Amino acid sequence: MQKHDRKSRFEKLKEEQFDLLILGGGATGAGAALDASLRGLKVALLEKSDFASGTSSRSTKLIHGGVRYLAQFHFKLIHEALTERQRLLENAPHLVKPLPFILPTYKLYEKPYYSIGMTMYDILAWKGNLPSHKRVSKEEVEKDFPALQTKGLTGGILYYDSQFNDARLNVNLARAASKEGALVLNQTELVSFQKKDGKITGGKVKDLLSGETYNVKAKVVVNATGPWVDDIRLKDDPRTYRVLSPSQGIHLVFKKETIPCNTALIIPKTKDGRVVFIIPWEDHVILGTTDTPIHEVSQDPMPLESEVEFLLQTGSDYLAKPLQRKDIISVFSGIRPLISPEGNQDTKSISREEVILVSSSGLITMGGGKWSTYRKMSEDLIDRVLKEGGLEEFGASRTAKYAFPGKVGYSENLYKEIQKMYKVSEASAKRLQNFYGGEVFIILGKKPTPLLKGVEYFQEEVEWFAQEEFALTVTDVLARRFRIQFLDLKLSAKLATPVSQILAKQLGWKEAQRKEKESEALGLIESLRSTYDGK
């Protein structure tokens, strides 16, 4: 049981001398923990909530070069992202998939104009294996994206990028880091730093489940806490300046019947200067995103009314059938941890490239960046850790060809075997294939038990989440392991009770504690629903 394993991990945390203590278990922190562990460093990775509980689970689900960066001439960033895209397609094929996009054209000059840009995009991805872009007719566009508004449509551009399951990739990073020797703990918060002669030597941390505190010794400490980087920097030096310029982005989720599509769609121009995507994901469709500067960061940011209206209007402008509030079945909101040392608050103009800052005490902070380049960011970060900490003997990164858990035994047609063995729908078989890859039969066993009658989510999955994937709350399971909270809030609410009952057995909760955890999850679900349906 994870409950007992957790206690032993805290004992080890207290006793060991670590080369590296990483604060923050999102894409950057978990990626850095894996990179450092593979190099041979003794690593502790601490997350105050759950892995991917913040920004890293709330992306647009794309591993891409960033077509919009072409207009900004960010060719280095695009090339780096496209190189990393190919690596992820090879290293985590169950979690990262090719995705065709339609860029619709409505004016005669648009097709050749966009084609020039996409030719550059293809050149920057020259080592990749995805097809190059091509110009397509109006009829081909209508076939690929039946929901599109066709008035004035002249055709479009078909190109490829990739999509992924962000939270599950993040959890697998944490699992991989643990497998390679890192000490991994969530629900663990930094209380204060420990210093000697002005230099950080470790920190005092708190187990948020038991309330106990522990002292951790580390040669180097990394701050990879995303939207909370300034909070950590202020604990290091209360006189320091803030470098975060946070911005919020939301996504609306619809049934595929509402927006019929066989490809993704990119809307290249919107009123606020962003591109907006309409993307098929997990048998649903997501519409996003926004870019709203914010002043306060919260653990569970809520969509603003103006953001919901903007996306509904933008989507409706390009769709044959206008979108309505009653069509929305879920919503999620994330915060971009953009770093702007110069204090620039125009979040749309701040570069998405990563920034590394080193304080006089030795605290190393990384901010900015995006999921597509997380591996290279992690490599750059650990290179800097070795330099700053005098640890150069540990050598170069080994993550470029690292196979993620689930790659072994995976194939594109594995879902057929899953469907035959477990008698589930094709959609569920594909979900299971893409969640777990070759580990699926280990997780489900011979005859899995549904959480509810007629629902193809299984008790064995929840047990696996608790035993192997660090799940400690109902929301951990519904939002970041199953992803149901991101797809269907009504179904998520129905599954809260059976999930809480299984977790209670796995984690040793008493009945009052189980009800409290269930209530917390239901409260969050209701808060999210109220942002768009008024209930």
Side-chain angles (χ1 to χ4, degrees):
M1 275 188 167
Q2 195 189 83
K3 175 186 174 185
H4 304 301
D5 180 48
R6 182 177 174 85
K7 183 68 176 176
S8 66
R9 280 183 282 154
F10 271 108
E11 287 301 315
K12 187 177 180 182
L13 184 71
K14 180 174 64 175
E15 294 166 1
E16 297 278 357
Q17 166 72 53
F18 292 94
D19 296 310
L20 176 61
L21 170 62
I22 300 174
L23 305 172
T28 304
L34 175 59
D35 187 292
S37 298
L38 285 169
R39 299 194 202 200
L41 279 78
K42 189 174 288 187
V43 180
L45 171 65
L46 306 183
E47 162 59 43
K48 74 171 182 179
S49 183
D50 180 32
F51 301 107
S53 58
T55 305
S56 296
S57 65
R58 307 173 196 221
S59 74
T60 311
K61 320 305 176 196
L62 296 178
I63 297 293
H64 63 141
V67 170
R68 75 185 185 93
Y69 301 138
L70 288 168
Q72 301 167 8
F73 304 106
H74 289 168
F75 299 137
K76 178 178 177 291
L77 177 63
I78 296 170
H79 173 65
E80 186 175 274
L82 292 174
T83 301
E84 294 302 316
R85 181 186 72 180
Q86 184 58 36
R87 286 193 173 118
L88 275 168
L89 284 165
E90 295 170 1
N91 296 340
H94 52 308
L95 297 170
V96 184
K97 310 281 185 184
L99 179 68
F101 280 79
I102 286 291
L103 194 168
T105 57
Y106 291 90
K107 297 177 181 177
L108 289 176
Y109 72 85
E110 287 182 333
K111 197 180 286 188
Y113 173 75
Y114 288 133
S115 187
I116 292 169
M118 295 313 301
T119 298
M120 178 59 71
Y121 201 65
D122 294 338
I123 291 170
L124 292 170
W126 66 280
K127 286 187 177 180
N129 293 329
L130 295 184
S132 298
H133 85 282
K134 64 178 181 178
R135 304 183 191 187
V136 291
S137 67
K138 176 182 178 181
E139 291 72 26
E140 289 174 292
V141 171
E142 290 175 354
K143 183 180 177 181
D144 287 334
F145 206 95
L148 189 64
Q149 165 66 260
T150 58
K151 184 179 179 181
L153 182 70
T154 62
I157 304 292
L158 175 69
Y159 73 96
Y160 278 80
D161 255 316
S162 297
Q163 77 173 166
F164 76 130
N165 192 324
D166 49 11
R168 291 212 55 77
L169 184 62
N170 201 152
V171 168
N172 272 280
L173 276 171
R175 278 186 65 206
S178 179
K179 174 188 170 187
E180 300 300 336
L183 184 63
V184 176
L185 284 160
N186 50 351
Q187 293 292 335
T188 306
E189 184 176 24
L190 177 77
V191 177
S192 60
F193 286 109
Q194 295 173 336
K195 297 182 180 181
K196 183 178 180 181
D197 299 326
K199 298 293 183 181
I200 291 176
T201 58
K204 180 180 180 181
V205 302
K206 183 177 182 179
D207 176 1
L208 296 178
L209 299 187
S210 71
E212 293 184 48
T213 58
Y214 301 84
N215 292 325
V216 188
K217 299 182 289 292
K219 296 175 184 176
V220 181
V221 178
V222 159
N223 173 14
T225 56
W228 292 274
V229 290
D230 279 338
D231 292 352
I232 300 298
R233 294 177 73 251
L234 287 164
K235 285 182 179 180
D236 172 34
D237 181 1
R239 300 165 299 176
T240 196
Y241 56 95
R242 292 185 177 272
V243 296
L244 193 72
S245 293
S247 109
Q248 177 166 286
I250 81 159
H251 298 80
L252 304 180
V253 184
F254 303 88
K255 291 181 179 178
K256 219 167 184 181
E257 294 80 3
T258 304
I259 308 178
C261 56
N262 301 310
T263 68
L265 183 82
I266 179 172
I267 300 172
K269 295 177 183 177
T270 64
K271 287 185 291 185
D272 76 342
R274 289 186 58 76
V275 299
V276 165
F277 297 101
I278 303 177
I279 297 173
W281 185 66
E282 300 294 337
D283 215 33
H284 292 69
V285 178
I286 60 175
L287 167 64
T289 181
T290 56
D291 194 338
T292 308
I294 58 172
H295 302 292
E296 291 191 15
V297 172
S298 64
Q299 182 64 46
D300 291 299
M302 291 293 145
L304 302 174
E305 172 66 18
S306 58
E307 293 179 300
V308 175
E309 280 294 328
F310 167 77
L311 287 180
L312 286 173
Q313 185 59 56
T314 300
S316 296
D317 287 345
Y318 280 81
L319 298 175
K321 183 181 178 182
L323 297 172
Q324 301 179 51
R325 282 179 180 269
K326 65 181 179 63
D327 297 325
I328 303 170
I329 59 172
S330 189
V331 61
F332 57 95
S333 177
I335 297 171
R336 300 179 188 85
L338 303 176
I339 299 295
S340 178
E342 294 80 23
N344 180 2
Q345 295 299 307
D346 179 8
T347 55
K348 287 188 281 292
S349 67
I350 297 175
S351 173
R352 267 48 176 176
E353 293 185 84
E354 74 267 19
V355 176
I356 297 177
L357 305 171
V358 182
S359 74
S360 59
S361 67
L363 176 67
I364 301 175
T365 296
M366 174 172 266
K370 56 193 189 119
W371 250 119
S372 299
T373 55
Y374 92 87
R375 192 210 64 83
K376 184 61 167 61
M377 288 170 59
S378 301
E379 179 181 321
D380 293 344
L381 177 56
I382 300 306
D383 285 346
R384 187 66 175 270
V385 164
L386 301 190
K387 179 182 177 182
E388 297 291 337
L391 301 168
E392 286 92 345
E393 71 269 18
F394 286 101
S397 175
R398 295 170 50 205
T399 56
K401 295 184 178 180
Y402 186 83
F404 278 78
K407 178 182 177 178
V408 176
Y410 169 81
S411 71
E412 288 186 13
N413 292 318
L414 181 64
Y415 74 91
K416 293 180 179 178
E417 190 177 343
I418 295 169
Q419 192 175 10
K420 182 179 178 181
M421 182 169 181
Y422 296 125
K423 305 296 188 292
V424 295
S425 66
E426 183 177 312
S428 288
K430 287 183 176 179
R431 176 188 75 82
L432 292 165
Q433 166 190 282
N434 297 337
F435 271 36
Y436 310 117
E439 293 184 311
V440 63
F441 301 112
I442 298 170
I443 295 167
L444 293 186
K446 293 182 178 179
K447 191 176 180 182
T449 305
L451 287 169
L452 289 175
K453 186 177 180 180
V455 173
E456 293 178 329
Y457 291 89
F458 301 101
Q459 293 182 22
E460 288 76 7
E461 293 179 87
V462 182
E463 291 167 359
W464 173 267
F465 299 152
Q467 294 167 8
E468 302 292 336
E469 294 190 356
F470 315 104
L472 293 169
T473 72
V474 177
T475 299
D476 289 353
V477 171
L478 295 177
R480 291 172 288 277
R481 305 306 186 280
F482 273 146
R483 313 315 313 271
I484 302 171
Q485 184 178 295
F486 284 71
L487 296 169
D488 188 334
L489 289 174
K490 288 184 179 179
L491 178 58
S492 190
K494 289 178 182 177
L495 294 182
T497 297
V499 166
S500 72
Q501 291 169 340
I502 296 168
L503 289 180
K505 292 178 183 177
Q506 292 292 315
L507 303 176
W509 295 345
K510 291 183 168 59
E511 180 60 13
Q513 194 175 7
R514 184 198 70 77
K515 288 183 177 178
E516 179 186 354
K517 299 291 186 183
E518 180 184 320
S519 179
E520 287 175 0
L522 289 171
L524 176 58
I525 290 167
E526 189 55 39
S527 294
L528 288 167
R529 285 183 65 181
S530 69
T531 62
Y532 63 82
D533 69 5
K535 297 177 182 177

